[in-house]
Amino acid sequence: MSPRLKIGNVTELPAEGQAKEFQCGAKTLCVTRLDGAVSALEGVCPHRGGPLGQGVIEEGKVVCPWHGWQFDAKTGAVGEDDEGVATYPVTIEGDDVFVEI
Ligand code: FES
């Protein structure tokens, strides 16, 4: 079973339609909120290591700020194929936000 780690408070989560970077131990996460759903994606772009959590969400996709690769803001997928970034389950209990990594 994956460890469940607290990444912050609900007040720190991104606003609807936005992405935000969170540090969780050695891992950098890109946390998104889209259609009310909070998702945690791997935060390092597989292209050249760009910070996905510093990107914007356009048409449901996180756009990497370095060269514009686009990842589904909920699933991390790129297009129709299997490439993309990992996602991690998010749970919210009271004011605390946890991610299973
Ligand atoms: S590092 Fe993300 S698109 Fe190049």
Side-chain angles (χ1 to χ4, degrees):
M1 192 174 152
S2 307
R4 185 168 166 268
L5 302 171
K6 182 179 173 182
I7 61 165
N9 190 281
V10 284
T11 58
E12 299 171 84
L13 289 172
E16 172 60 33
Q18 293 183 9
K20 187 173 173 184
E21 193 167 77
F22 281 77
Q23 202 64 34
C24 186
K27 187 170 278 298
T28 303
L29 297 173
C30 168
V31 176
T32 63
R33 191 197 301 254
L34 191 63
D35 305 324
V38 176
S39 307
L41 284 59
E42 170 64 46
V44 178
C45 180
H47 179 220
R48 299 253 175 96
L52 295 182
Q54 296 175 29
V56 296
I57 297 179
E58 290 178 357
E59 297 180 359
K61 312 230 190 247
V62 177
V63 181
C64 178
W66 284 8
H67 315 98
W69 280 25
Q70 297 184 12
F71 303 84
D72 187 288
K74 292 179 180 171
T75 68
V78 176
E80 302 292 311
D81 58 31
D82 289 330
E83 287 182 46
V85 291
T87 58
Y88 306 98
V90 179
T91 50
I92 297 174
E93 285 180 15
D95 289 339
D96 297 327
V97 182
F98 298 90
V99 173
E100 273 178 50
I101 297 215

